[in-house]
Amino acid sequence: MLLSAEIFADANSEYIDAKFVIFGAPFDETSCFRSGSKRAPSEIRKASYNFETYNAQYDVDLCDVPFFDLGDIKRSVSVDEMLKNIRNSVCEIVNDGKIPIMMGGEHSLTYPCIQAFDCISIVVLDAHLDLRDEYEGYKHSHACVSRRIIEEIGDINYVSIGIRSGAKEEYDFASKRDILFYTVSRIQAEGISNVMHDVVEYLNTDRIYLSIDVDVIDPAYAPGVGNPEPFGMIPADVKYVIQLLAPYTIGFDLVEISPDYDHGQTALLGAKLIREFIAAKGSS
Ligand code: MN
Ligand code: MN
């Protein structure tokens, strides 16, 4: 049993009644620059108490949306074992007809979440392509997660947004395979609403998993991340992505917050974006 301060604010439902099941995945073993994302779930939970339960935009009170905090997934130092623990938990949540919400942890943890679904498409928000085949000896490094996901679900079921960094080989791979990604410059030129309508049309599905690597947001707003990258998205555009995709979203995660490099604002933004998703989906 979790103490009330240790659960995400307003997660008042029992598991059996919950529409959403939120959990922490405290793991950062493959992090290469600023590790510490294993501490993010507890910081995001603490930050979640800052906000009103009522969301005026959706006219919904989070106290009235049934969601449950499962606590943290059992931590392992082995990447493979951690991925397995997450896959097992998410499979159970999905089989019980509920929507999983993961608080990472590093981005590699999105892969086992995806494996829990049949016929899923994914929208990844990330500064980085994450298309390396291998990084620092790991196939399941955070820097390879989009590559692993594409292998699992197919090129045409994948879109990434907010991209502004990658190795030449990653850009070559994306171009050879016709992987659809939107740069921040393109979002600025075309507007987030045009971009997102194109994305919805391209994927043409009502089964979307939304993964937010918080480094997609400009480091001025979100400095506490594993690999900060300038010239990023603004938080309001990320909120819009959540809103527009909510009707189709059946799984969600928010990863890569690194509390040691934060003054609290990144954890607050992360907690708020999760609450926006619950409000948007909970009212749809
Ligand atoms: Mn990433
Ligand atoms: Mn990233």
Side-chain angles (χ1 to χ4, degrees), residues 121-196:
S121 293
I122 187 168
V123 175
V124 176
L125 270 62
D126 203 325
H128 308 95
L129 282 168
D130 288 352
L131 285 173
R132 283 183 160 92
D133 189 34
E134 193 182 304
Y135 193 63
E136 293 182 336
Y138 289 108
K139 280 264 185 189
H140 285 291
S141 163
H142 63 102
C144 310
V145 66
S146 283
R147 180 78 167 257
R148 296 290 90 80
I149 289 169
I150 284 167
E151 287 167 357
E152 185 82 13
I153 67 173
D155 304 6
I156 56 163
N157 299 314
Y158 172 94
V159 177
S160 59
I161 294 168
I163 299 296
R164 55 197 184 275
S165 172
K168 169 104 173 44
E169 70 192 67
E170 295 178 90
Y171 281 98
D172 290 346
F173 176 83
S175 127
K176 199 171 94 202
R177 298 276 287 262
D178 243 349
I179 307 291
L180 182 58
F181 67 89
Y182 290 85
T183 63
V184 173
S185 319
R186 188 161 168 200
I187 296 167
Q188 284 164 350
E190 296 180 15
I192 191 69
S193 132
N194 289 325
V195 165
M196 289 316 297

Side-chain angles (χ1 to χ4, degrees), residues 232-264:
M233 284 179 73
I234 59 169
D237 280 0
V238 174
K239 174 176 178 279
Y240 178 81
V241 172
I242 291 171
Q243 177 192 338
L244 194 91
L245 294 182
Y248 321 105
T249 302
I250 56 174
F252 180 93
D253 69 45
L254 186 129
V255 298
E256 291 288 347
I257 288 179
S258 195
D260 293 349
Y261 301 89
D262 197 17
H263 294 286

Side-chain angles (χ1 to χ4, degrees), residues 107 126-128 130 213 215-216 227 256:
H107 206 176
D126 203 325
H128 308 95
D130 288 352
D213 179 335
D215 68 31
V216 75
N227 294 89
E256 291 288 347

